[in-house]
Amino acid sequence: MAKIWTRQAVLRALDDAMTDDPTVILMGEDVAAAGGPFKVTEGLLAKYGAERVIDTPISEMAFMGAAVGAAVCGLKPVVEIMFIEFLGVALDQLTTQAATMRYLSRGRLTAPLVVRASAGAGQGFGCQHSQMLDHWVRGTPGLKLAVTSNARTTYGLLRSAIEDPDPVVVLEPRILYSEREEYEFDPSYRIPLGRAEVARQGADATLVTCGAMTRVALEAAANSDANIEVVDLLTIWPWDRKTVLQSVERTGRLVTLEEATASAGWGGDVVSAVAMEAFGKLKAPPHRITLPDAPVPYNGGLEARYLPSAAYVTEQVAALISTNKSPAPWWRNAA
Amino acid sequence: MTVSDSNSPLARREALRNRRDQLQRMVEIRGVENRIQKLFAEGHVRGSTHLANGQEAVSVGIARSIDPDDVVTCTYRGHGHALALGVTPAGVIGEICGRTIGCAGGVGGSMHLVEPSVGLLPTAAIIGAGLPIACGAAMAARARKNGRVAVSIFGDGSANIGAFHEALNFAAINKLPVIFVCENNLYGEYTRIQLSTPIEDIALRASGYNMPGIIVDGQDVDKVAEAMAEAVQRARRGEGPSLLEMKTYRYSGHSRSDPATYRPAGELDRWLKRDPINIFADRLIAEQALSPGGLEQMQAETNEAIEQVVAEVLDSPAPDMREIFAHVSGESPGGDQRWSFWGR
Ligand SMILES: Cc1ncc(C[n+]2csc(CCOP(=O)(O)OP(=O)(O)O)c2C)c(N)n1
Ligand SMILES: [Mg+2]
C-alpha cells in the first residue's frame, strides 16, 4: 500500500469522477491554470480542457449561482470555495436557491452540485480564514454536509457527493491536506452520505467527532486508560443517528469532540437526540468538548490552546468516566 | 500613546508632511516587507503574508493626502498602508509575529492590522469586504459634519466581486464622501487581469456609477497624492465618490508560497525600472531635498532601525491565554477601549 497525501485523494476523486461522468465540471479561483491554491486540481485542465475545468474571477456569488443553474440544467458542477469563509458572499445561492430547487419544483428540478471548501484552524491563518462554519449550512433542508477526515474518507465522500442527486457541501480540513496515510485507491470505493463510521471500538464511552478532530480523538483514545469508542460522523447533516445511538447504548457515555464554538457546534444536536432517545442507557451526562465562544486567535500558543488537544480530550473523557459528571472546559478556569 | 510621543502612529503620520520623510516611509515599507519575508523563512510568522513591495508609492501617496481623522479600509495586502498611515514598524512586525506589541495585540496576524488613531479599521481578509464598510464610514463622516472622508483600498481582482458594484452604486446615489482606490497590480492571485476581467482599466467601471474614474501612475507618489487630493476635495465639497485606479505592480508573488512563475518574462524587470522609491528619490535629488547617495544612506539607516525593531519584537511577550476571550463582545473581559470618532 502506498502513502497517500490527503490532497492527492481530492485530486484523484475529482479526476476519477470526471472520467466516469462527462457532465462533471469544476469551477473556482485558480483551479485550472494554476492547479488550485492547494494544488488539488493539478493536471485536470490539461486532461479535461477549459470547458470542464474553469478558472473564475473573484466572484463567488456568480460562480456559485452559475453552478446552481448548470446543475439544474444537466451538468454536475463541483465548485471550489478556497476558504469556507468566502461562502459568505455566495450563501444565498446555496442555502436559499439550490436548497429549495427540488422542493419548489415539486421534485421536477434538482441542483446536484458539490461545494468543496477548505476549512478549519491550526495553521495561523487568523480569525477570517480558520473557521469550520458548518453551522452556516447545517440544518438547511435540501442540503447535505460532509466533513473529510483523511485520504480514504476524502476519496469516498467526494465520490458519493458528486454522484448525489442533491446539493452537497464537503468541508475539507485544510490542515489534513499535507498529511499522509496508507491507502490504496479503488475507483469503486464510496462512503455513503449519511453514514458514520466506528473508527475505533471501545466499551467505556462513545466519542463522536468528525474532520480534523477525528485524528485527535483517535490519539486521545490510544493514550487513554479507558476503552473509548470513536465514531467519525463523516456526514454531519443529516447525521447517522443509528450508529451513534447503538454505540452509546453499549457504552453508556457520550462525548462529542467538535471543532466548533460551544454555542454553534453540531454536538448540541447529537446530545439532544441521545438525551431524548437513549436517556435510560446513560451512566453519565452527555458531554461536549468544543471550542470556546471566541474567534480563532492568530498567535501560535493561543491557537494551540484554543483547539482541543489529544491530551485534553483524554483528560476530559477520563474525568467523565471516573466521576460520571461533566467536567468543566479548560476556559472556565482560565477566564 | 500621546501625540508628543515622537514614535506614536499620529506623530509618524504628521511627519509625512515632509517630502524627505515620505521617501523615508517608502523605504521603510520596502525594508519591513523584505524583513517579513525573512521572518517567515525563520519561522516567526504563521499562516500567510501578502507583501506589497513595489506598491509603496500608493500607500504613502494616499496617507499624505488624507487626515488621520479620515477613515481607511483596506485588505490583507495592508502592511504598507498601515505603515504609511502611521502604524509603527513594531506594531506591524509585532502583529505579524503574534506578539502583544502588535497593533492587534498578536491575535490578528498579517492580514489584520488596525490603528483607529490614524483611521485604520481592521484590514479585511475577505475580498470586497472593505468597500461597503467605507460607505458606512463615509455616512458617519457626513454626520460628523467636519469634512471627513472615507477611503477604501482594494485590488484589481476585487473589482469582480458583488460588493464592489453594490458599494459604488450605494456611494454614488448617496453622494457619499468616499474614495475607492483600486491598486491595479495586474494580478489577482495567480491570474493575470485579462483572464478574469474584460477590461484592463478598472477606472472604466466608474462610468456605470456616474462617478469620476481616474487612472493614476501608482509608481509616482506625487501623482498618487495629487489624484487623491482632488478626489478628497470633491468628496469634502459634497460632490460624492470617486474611483481612482493606481497602476502598480507587486514585486513578490501573491503570498509567501507563490514564486510567481505565471508572470511573462521581462514584466518584473520592466516594472523594476520604474521603481517608486527610485523615481521619488531622483526627484528629491533634483529638488535638492536629498543629496546624491542620500537614498542609499537612508536605506542603510532604515534597515538598521528595522533590525532593532525586529530584535525588540522577538524579545517581546506573546499574548496571555486570557486574550482569547477578551473583547469578543461588550460583556467580555478587556474593559471598554472604544475609540471615539466624535471626540476630536
Ligand atoms: C471573497 C473572497 N474570495 C477569495 C479570496 C481569496 N483571495 C485572497 S487575495 C485574492 C486575490 C485578490 O486580488 P486583487 O484584488 O487584485 O488584490 P491583490 O492581492 O493583487 O492585492 C483572492 C482571490 C478572498 N480572500 N475572499
Ligand atoms: Mg491585484
Side-chain angles (χ1 to χ4, degrees):
Chain A
M1 242 192 280
K3 284 226 177 218
I4 301 292
W5 301 100
T6 308
R7 59 156 52 91
Q8 280 178 280
V10 178
L11 176 57
R12 184 62 186 264
L14 297 174
D15 193 352
D16 289 355
M18 294 188 82
T19 297
D20 287 357
D21 181 351
T23 67
V24 174
I25 62 166
L26 304 186
M27 277 195 282
E29 288 152 16
D30 287 313
V31 297
F38 303 110
K39 298 278 170 261
V40 299
T41 48
E42 205 138 53
L44 297 180
L45 173 65
K47 191 161 171 188
Y48 298 104
E51 285 282 314
R52 295 184 65 194
V53 184
I54 302 160
D55 272 331
T56 67
I58 310 171
S59 308
E60 282 83 359
M61 196 194 306
F63 66 80
M64 182 70 74
V68 177
V72 171
C73 300
L75 293 178
K76 289 217 144 199
V78 179
V79 163
E80 175 171 294
I81 296 287
M82 198 185 306
F83 286 71
I84 187 63
E85 281 85 352
F86 311 163
L87 180 61
V89 302
L91 205 54
D92 166 65
Q93 291 295 340
L94 180 67
T95 62
T96 308
Q97 306 309 323
T100 58
M101 193 58 67
R102 183 189 286 272
Y103 179 78
L104 285 175
S105 66
R106 306 319 293 151
R108 286 171 296 172
L109 303 172
T110 60
L113 61 92
V114 173
V115 177
R116 298 179 34 251
S118 85
Q123 295 168 301
F125 281 105
C127 61
Q128 297 188 354
H129 277 60
S130 299
Q131 304 169 88
M132 286 297 287
L133 294 179
D134 50 275
H135 62 285
W136 278 3
V137 292
R138 182 164 42 81
T140 304
L143 287 185
K144 295 188 178 87
L145 172 61
V147 188
T148 63
S149 54
N150 55 33
R152 176 183 59 83
T153 59
T154 297
Y155 187 85
L157 287 170
L158 274 175
R159 292 299 314 262
S160 295
I162 295 170
E163 287 165 1
D164 198 86
D166 286 309
V168 182
V169 179
V170 180
L171 297 180
E172 299 168 1
R174 191 176 314 109
I175 199 163
L176 300 180
Y177 282 149
S178 49
E179 300 232 334
R180 287 199 300 179
E181 62 157 6
E182 299 278 339
Y183 180 59
E184 195 76 58
F185 283 119
D186 167 7
S188 68
Y189 182 66
R190 304 285 183 274
I191 296 178
L193 297 180
R195 200 167 310 159
E197 266 179 18
V198 177
R200 181 186 199 273
Q201 295 196 324
D204 297 333
T206 300
L207 184 54
V208 181
T209 190
C210 70
M213 285 296 126
T214 299
R215 60 186 185 144
V216 176
L218 289 170
E219 194 189 328
N223 296 336
S224 175
D225 294 334
N227 193 0
I228 300 173
E229 178 141 309
V230 175
V231 176
D232 183 355
L233 273 187
L234 298 169
T235 305
I236 61 174
W237 171 256
W239 59 280
D240 183 353
R241 299 163 83 95
K242 199 167 140 223
T243 298
V244 171
L245 284 165
Q246 276 174 357
S247 172
V248 174
E249 282 170 9
R250 253 187 304 107
T251 65
R253 294 185 185 90
L254 168 71
V255 181
T256 63
L257 172 57
E258 308 162 48
E259 185 176 336
T261 54
S263 299
W266 47 264
D269 225 21
V270 174
V271 166
S272 85
V274 166
M276 288 166 79
E277 292 172 42
F279 189 73
K281 298 277 170 55
L282 289 173
K283 299 176 197 153
H287 181 61
R288 293 178 59 212
I289 303 173
T290 67
L291 310 176
D293 282 325
V296 185
Y298 165 69
N299 170 275
L302 267 55
E303 192 178 25
R305 172 71 275 194
Y306 178 88
L307 286 167
S309 67
Y312 173 68
V313 173
T314 303
E315 194 185 294
Q316 287 263 304
V317 177
L320 181 81
I321 293 173
S322 64
T323 64
N324 281 336
K325 291 200 179 99
S326 206
W330 61 269
W331 58 84
R332 190 132 329 140
N333 314 319
Chain B
M1 228 172 261
T2 60
V3 189
S4 57
D5 180 350
S6 69
N7 197 32
S8 74
L10 206 50
R12 278 170 48 82
R13 179 66 165 279
E14 271 152 16
L16 279 191
R17 290 203 198 101
N18 181 316
R19 284 171 75 69
R20 206 171 175 282
D21 284 329
Q22 291 164 19
L23 178 66
Q24 197 273 330
R25 190 64 53 86
M26 290 166 64
V27 167
E28 177 185 279
I29 294 171
R30 178 78 51 91
V32 167
E33 293 292 54
N34 289 339
R35 193 62 180 88
I36 288 167
Q37 179 92 321
K38 207 163 145 237
L39 281 165
F40 214 118
E42 292 164 1
H44 296 294
V45 185
R46 308 183 68 230
S48 198
T49 56
H50 308 81
L51 306 182
N53 3 10
Q55 305 186 189
E56 297 87 350
V58 181
S59 302
V60 174
I62 293 171
R64 86 176 214 210
S65 318
I66 56 175
D67 294 335
D69 281 356
D70 296 323
V71 171
V72 178
T73 69
C74 142
T75 69
Y76 51 86
R77 201 176 301 288
H79 309 164
H81 299 306
L83 289 164
L85 291 170
V87 182
T88 62
V92 171
I93 299 172
E95 190 53 43
I96 293 168
C97 293
R99 309 302 169 107
T100 47
I101 57 169
C103 56
V107 305
S110 169
M111 299 198 279
H112 304 297
L113 306 176
V114 57
E115 184 50 64
S117 70
V118 289
L120 181 63
L121 301 191
T123 59
I126 305 297
I127 297 292
L131 287 90
I133 294 172
C135 290
M139 292 166 77
R142 193 152 66 192
R144 281 149 75 194
K145 294 198 196 325
N146 57 3
R148 294 293 128 228
V149 302
V151 177
S152 186
I153 309 168
F154 51 90
D156 48 293
S158 313
N160 293 324
I161 200 117
F164 168 91
H165 297 274
E166 296 190 26
L168 263 67
N169 187 61
F170 186 85
I173 50 146
N174 289 302
K175 279 204 183 308
L176 292 175
V178 53
I179 297 99
F180 299 104
V181 182
C182 178
E183 293 183 277
N184 186 346
N185 60 13
L186 297 176
Y187 291 86
E189 277 192 359
Y190 323 128
T191 300
R192 205 174 187 286
I193 184 165
Q194 79 275 8
L195 300 172
S196 65
T197 312
I199 48 174
E200 284 245 355
D201 297 331
I202 301 296
L204 289 174
R205 297 214 162 150
S207 69
Y209 301 103
N210 197 24
M211 68 175 75
I214 315 285
I215 295 173
V216 183
D217 176 0
Q219 304 310 83
D220 184 331
V221 68
D222 288 329
K223 297 265 169 55
V224 172
E226 282 158 27
M228 270 302 289
E230 207 171 308
V232 169
Q233 277 160 26
R234 179 184 150 84
R236 295 207 208 283
R237 285 195 305 264
E239 290 165 23
S242 304
L243 172 62
L244 307 185
E245 177 184 1
M246 306 295 171
K247 300 284 193 188
T248 185
Y249 199 74
R250 59 161 156 79
Y251 292 167
S252 318
H254 166 68
S255 61
R256 51 114 187 177
S257 52
D258 170 24
T261 47
Y262 44 78
R263 300 197 284 210
E267 188 178 78
L268 173 61
D269 289 333
R270 280 196 300 283
W271 282 90
L272 283 167
K273 289 201 184 97
R274 295 208 66 245
D275 181 75
I277 293 176
N278 291 339
I279 289 175
F280 194 43
D282 289 346
R283 187 169 305 146
L284 291 189
I285 291 169
E287 290 170 9
Q288 301 193 337
L290 187 75
S291 55
L295 174 63
E296 290 69 23
Q297 193 189 337
M298 187 183 273
Q299 283 165 328
E301 283 167 12
T302 305
N303 288 336
E304 204 180 298
I306 291 170
E307 277 317 312
Q308 277 172 25
V309 170
V310 168
E312 184 195 353
V313 164
L314 295 182
D315 238 10
S316 70
D320 186 88
M321 293 300 160
R322 280 181 294 244
E323 296 303 321
I324 293 173
F325 310 98
H327 306 298
V328 177
S329 77
E331 287 79 49
S332 306
D336 190 352
Q337 306 286 339
R338 277 176 294 172
W339 178 259
S340 171
F341 286 95
W342 301 90
R344 281 137 39 88

